[in-house]
Amino acid sequence: MAKEEKLPEGITEAMISDAKTKHGADKVRILSIPVDDDATAYKDVLAIIPTRRIIGMYQRFQDSDPLKAQEILVKNCLLSHKDEIMADDGLFFGALNLLAKLIPVREGIIKNC
């Protein structure tokens, strides 16, 4: 598979390489978050797929303090542009939505015996 020639602004090949080494090559993603309501422009950020540990921390506060739970998910999964995303509600909720889609949930089949 050919690599893209130009990386998104603020994301370097070294950042991607370090993330793949630390988290696993199959756990690193680039998320494109809309910067406006019309989705005419996007902010690309480097992120990892949420791990069991991160999801556990998220679920601990999900009912008692939803904002803290959401911040745990975003802060622990983003590897780039974290301050910028945390400072803007639209980017924050866009990142949260995309990260939630990355949580690996498999649907099973229930059968009568």
Side-chain angles (χ1 to χ4, degrees):
M1 179 182 277
K3 291 191 176 194
E4 291 186 32
E5 293 179 20
K6 185 177 178 193
L7 292 171
E9 182 180 334
I11 299 174
T12 65
E13 191 63 48
M15 291 169 68
I16 294 171
S17 177
D18 290 345
K20 286 182 177 181
T21 300
K22 183 176 179 181
H23 301 285
D26 60 333
K27 304 292 184 207
V28 180
R29 301 286 188 272
I30 293 178
L31 308 179
S32 294
I33 306 166
V35 296
D36 56 20
D37 292 337
D38 298 326
T40 57
Y42 292 86
K43 180 73 177 176
D44 291 333
V45 298
L46 188 63
I48 59 166
I49 294 174
T51 63
R52 287 185 199 179
R53 182 186 65 79
I54 294 169
I55 294 169
M57 290 188 304
Y58 167 81
Q59 289 177 331
R60 180 176 179 195
F61 295 101
Q62 186 174 3
D63 293 327
S64 62
D65 192 350
L67 178 59
K68 183 173 183 171
Q70 294 167 349
E71 288 179 349
I72 285 170
L73 188 62
V74 173
K75 286 179 180 179
N76 284 285
C77 291
L78 291 186
L79 303 177
S80 72
H81 304 88
K82 198 176 298 189
D83 293 336
E84 185 177 348
I85 301 302
M86 295 302 294
D88 182 277
D89 287 346
L91 291 174
F92 175 81
F93 288 114
L96 181 66
N97 181 48
L98 289 171
L99 290 168
K101 289 179 182 179
L102 287 178
I103 296 172
V105 178
R106 295 184 183 153
E107 290 293 323
I109 299 170
I110 300 172
K111 298 179 183 179
N112 290 333
C113 38

